[in-house]
């Protein structure tokens, strides 16, 4: 669309001062965004630097930045991946329900309903997680520890507080569900009617039509949306900070009282009380989080955008 | 479909594969509904006999899927049965997603209601120990900081969107589009750290100010404003622009007088949703603005209270006895959720009432 | 395998709007029946009721009866999925599945219906379908390439191969050549004439020369007036319709286009 308006003025007509100012302003705003993003990286790096060069024993824990951040990174990745594992299939199913199963008249309203899940502030999910979900999880956790204890994830012993990684993961899954399903929903909605009809005309049932036409068409969007959800889960702070009872350490055990921290939650918990090199260390961990989410998000966007071009060519 | 032809003898390429009749067994029209009712009754029975809610629901849900699948497979054949199974699974997934929504809303309302009173909205926490006190200072703080964030984000976001739609081309525009997308994925805590790092360089370590929170929120808000405004500007038909050019209206006046007013409703919707998104942010404010128990409405001078952070601290450091503080935390959460829902509703209303008719 | 279709007093509705009224006709097996008429007169809508694709539009429904041989397509207990399996369809724009290879596109319908089909049998069926669609020689060396890489005309023949692979009794074609160049159109028309020895073919077309060239029987649809439902004005042997139509409206339409 911009190109067609541009073409009309391709002859470099003399520019009016008003035009020049306005074009300058809007270009400036765009460039500012790039500057801000670069600034985020630069300022974090500046503030993290003292921790990166400090002697190991000055870092909280006394063993250097890498040793300090590693368990946090582990906790972050573990919680985010597990949350995605729950959320991604649900998101696809919800997107399918709204685009292909729900009666068309109420489909849009149902979409809003799911979007409302995204509107709930994360602090409230945290409170909900610890007040409602955690007590509910105790009994099933004990059952899991008893019956499926041979799986490392459920090794137990189950805590009686319910403030476990399992609950944090479920809360995270609920939180990333709306964004993930919204992106997938958009892709499913754009499935060419032609291809849907082609499979129906061959005598496909609704599910067979979805498998032949809708899912292949939306595949890269599903991947992209999942990564987007992963990015959200990696950076989610408050819900994890409130729910998780932490003791550091690296463990896959989801239902015990000893849970690994996540980077974001650790910052929220420790930052207000920290001074000096501890603050720099926290910022260094934030920098790691920033780098990880940036990579995940860039990859997600690249995947989604590639699909957009591909479908445009069709 | 039950195939009556010679599948076992290998295909006979000269007679049709499909001697299958058009009609074959079909479940009664209300079959899924009646199975669902049966499953519901079974689930309630399990619940009454002392099962955990989740366990009863899971068993009932599985029971429903299995019965529908088996019945349909016996009567209608495997293809139709799979179709019905998927329908059950997909619908179940949707219902499952509604549970947290309902539970969250119910919990927040029931726990937040006791302290949803005059005092909560008119008092601060200054000198309050135990009972009483309110979140007046925090509500004002949230409004001030979010307002400032909007003041920063809206012009930048709007101008960037205008650049992307009306001027942008080539590498710069592509880079901005890409990084705006990437920016939507910045974790909020990182935005907070960025604001802290920025101000710490100027004012020294340990600085806390309202404006820092506003800057942090802006980082989160700008990409949302850009994306929604961009979408709206793209919908404005090119004919309108060309009509204005044909009247010798300069480009910038065309944008200001023709394009923006046409897209105004959509832009307002987008900005409202963006505000709704950041007004509940906790983490960035926790590290930049901190918390205080007294009124401080000057965003350039020291710590301020905000509603989400207020709720957080009331919950995690309740004191003895804990109940008054916990109640205040839930009431703050309720207030927050009401604000967010009202903003969302307002956004839908704006777009419904003022949208130019683009959909048929 | 080619089946006869008999339509009796068919009314077609979108919700409360009556789109097509009172269609009765008999479509003979092993022949090509062309449906012509001005835009919006309901001929495509009518075509889509023949394989029950019409009801995919919410609240769309029909009154009346359609028999295929002796089976009522809208009878109680009839599964639309089985109907569509029995009555193949080719669309206005070629629509091979973009994520599938040429081979997989042709095999798509077969895989739906019999899951345990042997690879060798499938190979044979795919080859036979592609040969019937006059496409085999052009694609036999690249069966595993995506179908979207073919030219428009080849894609449309691929769609025909896909439709006939499941051995339907009837083949519906909704303006199959409207998105194609004259040479590809020629290829499709030749193909139709070959296929008619095995199938009942119904084609909707805007191109009257095409109807005259390929069809045995032509039906003329028209709108009674603005806002009125469409109707079948007359149906007769193609030579008769194009030389001495019995209805004035048919004559006007045909001569208007030719004149």
């Amino acid at each position: 669309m911009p190109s067609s308006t541009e073409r009309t003025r391709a002859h470099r007509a003399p520019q009016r001062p008003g035009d020049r100012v306005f074009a300058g302003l809007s270009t400036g705003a765009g460039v500012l965004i790039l500057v801000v993003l670069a600034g985020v990286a630069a300022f974090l790096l500046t503030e993290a630097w003292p921790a990166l060069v400090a002697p190991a024993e000055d870092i909280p824990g006394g063993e250097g930045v890498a040793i300090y951040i590693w368990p946090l990174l582990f906790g972050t990745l573990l919680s985010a991946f597990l949350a995605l594992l729950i959320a991604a299939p649900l998101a696809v199913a919800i997107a399918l329900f709204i685009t292909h199963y729900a009666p068309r008249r109420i489909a849009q309203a149902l979409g809003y309903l799911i979007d409302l899940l995204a509107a709930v502030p994360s602090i409230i999910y945290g409170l909900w997680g610890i007040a409602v979900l955690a007590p509910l999880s105790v009994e099933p956790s004990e059952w899991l520890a008893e019956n499926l204890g041979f799986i490392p994830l459920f090794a137990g012993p189950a805590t009686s507080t319910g403030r476990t990684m399992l609950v944090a993961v479920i809360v995270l899954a609920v939180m990333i569900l709306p964004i993930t399903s919204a992106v997938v929903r958009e892709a499913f909605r754009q499935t060419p009617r032609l291809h849907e009809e082609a499979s129906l005309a061959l005598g496909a049932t609704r599910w067979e039509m979805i498998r032949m036409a809708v899912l292949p068409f939306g595949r890269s969007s599903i991947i992209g949306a999942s990564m987007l959800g992963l990015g959200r889960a990696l950076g989610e702070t408050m819900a994890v900070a409130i729910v998780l009872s932490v003791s550091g350490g690296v463990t896959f055990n989801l239902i015990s009282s000893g849970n690994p921290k996540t980077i974001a939650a650790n910052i929220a918990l420790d930052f207000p009380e920290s001074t000096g090199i501890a603050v720099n260390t926290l910022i260094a961990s934030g920098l790691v989080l920033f780098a990880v989410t940036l990579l995940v998000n860039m990859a997600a966007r690249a995947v989604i955008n590639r699909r957009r071009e591909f479908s445009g060519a069709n | 479909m039950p195939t009556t032809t010679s599948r076992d003898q290998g295909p006979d390429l000269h007679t049709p594969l499909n001697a299958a009749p058009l009609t074959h067994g079909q479940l009664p029209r209300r079959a899924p509904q009646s199975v669902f009712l049966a499953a519901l009754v079974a689930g309630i029975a399990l619940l009454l006999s002392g099962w955990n809610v989740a366990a009863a629901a899971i068993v009932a849900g599985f029971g429903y899927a299995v019965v529908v699948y088996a019945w349909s497979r016996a009567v209608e054949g495997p293809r139709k049965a799979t179709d019905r199974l998927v329908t059950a699974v997909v619908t179940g997934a949707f219902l499952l997603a509604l549970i947290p929504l309902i539970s969250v809303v119910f919990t927040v309302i029931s726990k937040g209601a006791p302290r949803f009173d005059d005092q909560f909205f008119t008092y601060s926490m200054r000198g309050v120990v135990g009972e009483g006190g309110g979140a007046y200072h925090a509500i004002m703080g949230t409004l001030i900081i979010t307002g400032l964030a909007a003041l920063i984000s809206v012009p930048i976001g709007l101008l960037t969107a205008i650049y992307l739609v009306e001027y942008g081309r080539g590498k710069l525009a592509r880079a901005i589009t890409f990084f705006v997308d990437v920016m939507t994925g910045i974790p909020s805590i990182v935005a907070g750290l960025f604001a802290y790092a920025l101000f710490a360089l100027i004012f020294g370590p340990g600085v806390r100010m309202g404006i820092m929170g506003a800057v942090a929120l802006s980082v989160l808000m700008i990409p949302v404003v850009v994306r929604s405004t961009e979408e709206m500007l793209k919908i404005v038909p090119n004919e309108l622009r060309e009509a204005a050019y044909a009247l010798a209206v300069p480009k910038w006046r065309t944008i200001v007088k023709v394009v923006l007013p046409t897209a105004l409703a959509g832009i307002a919707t987008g900005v409202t949703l963006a505000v709704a998104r950041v007004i509940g942010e906790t983490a960035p404010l926790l590290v930049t603005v901190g918390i205080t128990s007294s009124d401080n409405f000057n965003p350039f001078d020291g710590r301020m209270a905000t509603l989400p952070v207020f709720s957080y601290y009331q919950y995690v450091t309740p004191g003895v006895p804990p109940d008054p503080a916990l109640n205040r935390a839930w009431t703050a959460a309720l207030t927050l959720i009401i604000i967010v829902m009202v903003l969302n509703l307002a956004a839908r209303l704006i777009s419904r009432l003022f949208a130019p008719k683009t959909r048929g | 395998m080619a089946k006869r279709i008999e339509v009796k007093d068919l009314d077609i509705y979108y919700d409360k709007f009556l789109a097509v009224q009172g269609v009765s006709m008999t479509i003979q097996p092993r022949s090509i029946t062309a449906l012509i008429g001005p835009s919006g007169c309901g001929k495509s809508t009518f075509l889509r009721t023949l394989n029950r694709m019409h009801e995919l539009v919410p609240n769309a429904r029909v009154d009346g009866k359609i028999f295929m041989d002796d089976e009522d397509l809208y009878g109680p207990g009839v599964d639309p999925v089985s109907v569509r399996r029995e009555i193949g369809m080719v669309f206005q724009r070629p629509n091979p599945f973009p994520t599938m290879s040429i081979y997989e596109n042709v095999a798509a319908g077969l895989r739906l219906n019999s899951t345990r089909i042997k690879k060798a049998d499938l190979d044979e069926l795919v080859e036979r379908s592609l040969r019937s669609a006059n496409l085999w020689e052009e694609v036999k060396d690249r069966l595993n390439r995506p179908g979207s890489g073919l030219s428009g005309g080849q894609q449309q023949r691929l769609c025909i191969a896909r439709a006939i692979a499941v051995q339907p009794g009837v083949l519906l074609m909704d303006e199959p050549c409207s998105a194609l160049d004259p040479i590809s159109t020629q290829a499709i028309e030749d193909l139709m004439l070959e296929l008619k020895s095995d199938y009942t073919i119904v084609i909707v077309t805007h191109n009257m020369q095409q109807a005259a060239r390929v069809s045995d029987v032509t039906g003329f649809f028209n709108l009674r007036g603005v806002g009125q439902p469409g109707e079948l004005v007359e149906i007769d042997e193609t030579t008769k319709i194009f030389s001495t139509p019995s209805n004035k409206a048919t004559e006007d339409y045909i001569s208007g286009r030719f004149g």
Side-chain angles (χ1 to χ4, degrees):
Chain A
M1 187 159 298
S3 63
S4 63
T5 52
E6 280 314 315
R7 219 167 286 140
T8 59
R9 36 182 310 113
H11 295 292
R12 291 241 151 254
Q15 287 213 319
R16 290 156 190 275
D19 269 342
R20 214 169 301 151
V21 170
F22 199 75
L25 266 179
S26 57
T27 313
V31 171
L32 183 65
I33 287 185
L34 297 184
V35 171
V36 166
L37 206 64
V40 171
F43 287 121
L44 288 183
L45 200 60
T46 320
E47 283 293 301
W49 193 250
L52 299 180
V53 296
E57 58 270 21
D58 289 355
I59 304 295
E63 290 177 276
V65 175
I67 303 293
Y68 177 82
I69 293 179
W70 155 242
L72 298 175
L73 185 60
F74 171 80
T76 308
L77 294 176
L78 179 70
S79 60
F81 272 111
L82 290 177
L84 183 65
L85 221 55
I86 299 175
L90 271 179
V92 172
I94 290 168
L96 273 183
F97 180 79
I98 290 175
T99 53
H100 286 86
Y101 284 83
R104 231 167 280 192
R105 258 177 308 149
I106 59 167
Q108 204 185 15
L110 296 181
Y112 285 155
L113 217 53
I114 295 295
D115 290 344
L116 274 189
L117 271 175
V120 176
S122 65
I123 174 91
I124 292 177
Y125 278 116
L127 296 179
W128 175 74
I130 194 169
V132 178
L133 203 56
L136 270 181
S137 77
V138 173
E139 226 180 301
S141 298
E142 282 165 358
W143 186 86
L144 284 173
E146 243 168 71
N147 297 290
L148 295 173
F150 56 89
I151 303 172
L153 294 178
F154 305 126
T159 76
S160 55
T161 61
R163 297 180 61 185
T164 58
M165 189 56 113
L166 181 67
V167 172
V169 162
I170 295 175
V171 172
L172 282 179
V174 172
M175 296 179 72
I176 65 174
L177 196 56
I179 173 81
T180 313
S181 99
V183 173
V184 178
R185 197 166 79 206
E186 217 29 65
F188 284 174
R189 207 196 302 284
Q190 288 168 5
T191 310
R193 191 92 192 109
L194 272 174
H195 296 143
E196 294 184 14
E197 292 196 336
S199 52
L200 288 174
L202 282 177
T205 61
R206 179 156 54 178
W207 165 237
E208 288 162 347
M209 180 272 281
I210 287 169
R211 253 185 28 199
M212 276 167 111
V214 179
L215 291 182
F217 181 80
R219 189 165 47 203
S220 55
S221 287
I222 295 174
I223 297 170
S226 303
M227 290 163 88
L228 223 52
L230 184 66
R232 283 281 164 92
L234 287 170
E236 180 42 50
T237 313
M238 297 319 292
V240 181
I242 295 176
V243 165
L244 215 52
S245 128
V246 291
S247 64
V250 172
T251 169
F252 282 100
N253 193 340
L254 297 186
I255 54 177
S256 75
S257 55
N259 298 292
K261 293 183 184 181
T262 72
I263 293 179
N266 181 57
I267 296 171
L269 290 172
D270 287 1
F271 195 91
E273 317 299 331
S274 297
T275 50
I277 197 83
V279 170
N280 302 116
T281 311
L282 288 174
I283 291 179
S285 73
L287 190 64
V288 171
L289 178 64
F290 178 60
V292 172
T293 51
L294 203 65
L295 283 179
V296 169
N297 280 303
M298 281 169 64
R301 288 299 172 183
V303 171
I304 295 177
N305 288 345
R306 199 178 54 197
R307 190 198 73 86
R308 200 174 292 160
E309 281 159 25
F310 168 75
S311 71
N314 268 358
Chain B
M1 185 189 304
T3 312
T4 52
T5 39
S6 50
R7 178 187 289 164
D8 302 323
Q9 301 151 22
D12 170 3
L13 295 183
H14 303 286
T15 56
L17 289 156
N18 51 313
L22 293 184
T23 50
H24 49 71
Q26 269 191 322
L27 294 189
R29 269 195 61 203
R30 297 273 155 204
Q33 286 91 332
S34 21
V35 176
F36 178 76
L37 273 182
L40 198 66
V41 170
I44 292 171
L46 285 179
L47 195 62
L48 292 179
S49 66
W51 281 47
N52 182 312
V53 184
I58 289 171
V59 170
F62 264 100
Y64 171 79
V66 167
V67 169
V68 163
Y69 180 77
W71 190 5
S72 169
R73 196 182 165 98
V75 179
E76 298 176 315
R79 288 178 57 202
K80 201 76 194 217
T82 310
D83 192 47
R84 285 190 189 273
L85 181 68
V86 174
T87 307
V89 168
V90 164
T91 314
F94 178 78
L95 295 178
L96 190 66
L98 290 187
I99 293 175
L101 183 64
I102 294 167
S103 171
V104 163
V105 171
F106 176 79
T107 311
V108 172
I109 290 177
S110 62
K111 295 198 181 226
R115 275 304 316 277
F116 202 73
D117 51 26
D118 291 353
Q119 200 187 6
F120 187 80
F121 292 99
T122 47
Y123 280 62
S124 74
M125 286 301 293
R126 183 169 193 148
V128 173
V129 177
E131 298 263 345
Y136 173 68
H137 60 312
I139 295 171
M140 290 307 290
T142 285
L143 294 182
I144 291 168
I145 290 174
T146 315
L148 274 175
L151 221 57
I152 300 171
S153 317
V154 172
I156 296 179
L158 215 64
L159 283 168
T160 304
I162 289 173
Y163 168 76
L164 288 176
V165 176
E166 306 287 338
Y167 294 95
R169 71 201 121 161
K171 277 207 179 103
L172 183 61
R174 266 206 303 276
I176 292 175
T177 307
F178 184 76
F179 281 107
V180 164
D181 278 343
V182 168
M183 215 169 153
T184 53
I186 291 188
S188 58
I189 186 91
V190 171
L193 289 181
F194 158 68
Y196 173 82
L198 175 65
F199 281 79
L201 283 181
I202 306 168
F203 296 97
V207 61
R208 295 285 190 280
M209 280 195 286
I211 185 71
M212 292 164 65
V215 168
L217 293 186
S218 300
V219 173
L220 301 171
M221 196 170 162
I222 288 172
V224 185
V225 175
V226 173
R227 284 319 303 268
S228 58
T229 308
E230 202 188 340
E231 293 303 317
M232 288 305 132
L233 292 181
K234 276 183 183 166
I235 298 178
V236 175
N238 244 350
E239 288 79 7
L240 279 183
R241 297 186 178 89
E242 278 162 7
Y245 296 151
L247 293 173
V249 181
K251 179 161 182 162
W252 73 277
R253 285 188 67 89
T254 306
I255 295 170
V256 174
K257 296 282 178 188
V258 178
V259 177
L260 284 182
T262 313
L264 195 60
I267 294 172
T269 304
V271 169
T272 316
L273 285 176
V275 170
R277 190 193 152 188
V278 299
I279 205 167
E281 281 295 350
T282 316
L285 300 180
L286 199 64
V287 300
T288 55
V289 185
I291 185 73
T292 169
S293 53
S294 336
D295 290 349
N296 171 16
F297 301 150
N298 181 357
F300 298 96
D301 179 26
R303 293 166 183 267
M304 290 173 75
T306 52
L307 208 45
V309 179
F310 172 83
S311 176
Y312 172 69
Y313 274 113
Q314 291 294 321
Y315 199 90
V316 295
T317 54
V320 184
D323 285 338
L326 294 185
N327 283 339
R328 282 192 294 268
W330 282 108
T331 308
L334 176 59
T335 314
L336 202 55
I337 221 171
I338 290 175
I339 294 175
V340 172
M341 294 299 161
V342 165
L343 283 171
N344 270 282
L345 212 65
R348 301 274 176 240
L349 277 180
I350 294 170
S351 75
R352 174 101 19 120
L353 294 181
F354 302 106
K357 301 273 178 285
T358 51
R359 272 165 273 157
Chain C
M1 65 212 286
K3 308 247 174 147
R4 204 172 76 109
I5 288 187
E6 203 169 336
V7 182
K8 284 182 181 163
D9 266 333
L10 193 73
D11 295 338
I12 308 173
Y13 294 87
Y14 288 105
D15 209 355
K16 293 196 177 62
F17 172 69
L18 178 60
V20 178
Q21 190 174 29
V23 177
S24 297
M25 67 164 79
T26 303
I27 296 165
Q28 295 297 345
R30 296 192 185 76
S31 71
I32 298 178
T33 303
L35 305 177
I36 60 170
S39 301
C41 66
K43 50 194 191 307
S44 285
T45 300
F46 170 73
L47 192 75
R48 292 167 68 92
T49 59
L50 294 181
N51 67 342
R52 297 189 65 170
M53 291 286 280
H54 172 64
E55 64 204 62
L56 293 174
V57 179
N59 296 323
R61 62 193 174 85
V62 300
D63 267 353
K65 298 223 178 286
I66 301 178
F67 292 97
M68 183 169 67
D69 285 353
D70 289 321
E71 282 178 293
D72 184 355
L73 294 185
Y74 284 87
V78 170
D79 184 359
V81 170
S82 315
V83 172
R84 290 174 204 144
R85 164 81 177 66
E86 193 69 19
I87 303 184
M89 188 161 193
V90 176
F91 295 82
Q92 195 165 353
R93 282 182 49 202
N95 56 356
F97 298 113
T99 49
M100 294 184 192
S101 66
I102 293 170
Y103 182 97
E104 288 299 325
N105 261 290
V106 179
L110 293 164
R111 286 204 199 279
L112 287 180
N113 292 289
S114 36
T115 45
R116 269 163 299 182
I117 193 159
K118 272 186 248 132
K119 174 83 172 104
D121 296 339
L122 195 60
D123 286 351
E124 205 172 335
L125 281 165
V126 167
E127 179 178 343
R128 195 164 61 110
S129 307
L130 283 169
R131 279 191 193 283
S132 304
N134 290 342
L135 194 59
W136 176 252
E137 292 302 326
E138 292 158 64
V139 300
K140 65 180 175 192
D141 301 324
R142 44 173 172 163
L143 288 176
N144 291 317
R145 304 294 310 277
S148 46
L150 299 174
S151 75
Q154 288 173 323
Q155 286 190 19
Q156 194 62 300
R157 276 181 282 151
L158 177 60
C159 292
I160 293 174
R162 181 176 66 188
I164 59 181
V166 293
Q167 313 256 1
V170 180
L171 200 54
L172 307 179
M173 299 181 148
D174 190 358
E175 300 185 40
C177 303
S178 64
L180 303 182
D181 62 74
I183 292 174
S184 307
T185 301
Q186 173 82 50
I188 302 277
E189 287 181 6
D190 291 346
L191 176 56
M192 278 192 267
L193 291 171
E194 284 171 35
L195 290 175
K196 99 176 172 181
S197 55
D198 289 323
Y199 300 93
T200 308
I201 297 179
V202 186
I203 172 175
V204 163
T205 178
H206 267 293
N207 179 337
M208 274 181 293
Q209 290 97 320
Q210 183 170 57
R213 279 193 300 264
V214 300
S215 71
D216 304 297
V217 175
T218 299
F220 173 59
F221 277 77
N222 203 359
L223 284 170
R224 211 174 285 161
V226 178
Q228 298 275 318
E231 58 177 357
L232 177 65
V233 177
E234 70 172 303
I235 181 163
D236 212 329
E237 280 177 23
T238 300
T239 45
K240 174 134 189 304
I241 290 276
F242 282 92
S243 55
T244 52
S246 49
N247 190 295
K248 179 80 168 60
T250 316
E251 195 178 345
D252 287 349
Y253 182 73
I254 288 167
S255 57
R257 287 298 167 94
F258 279 141

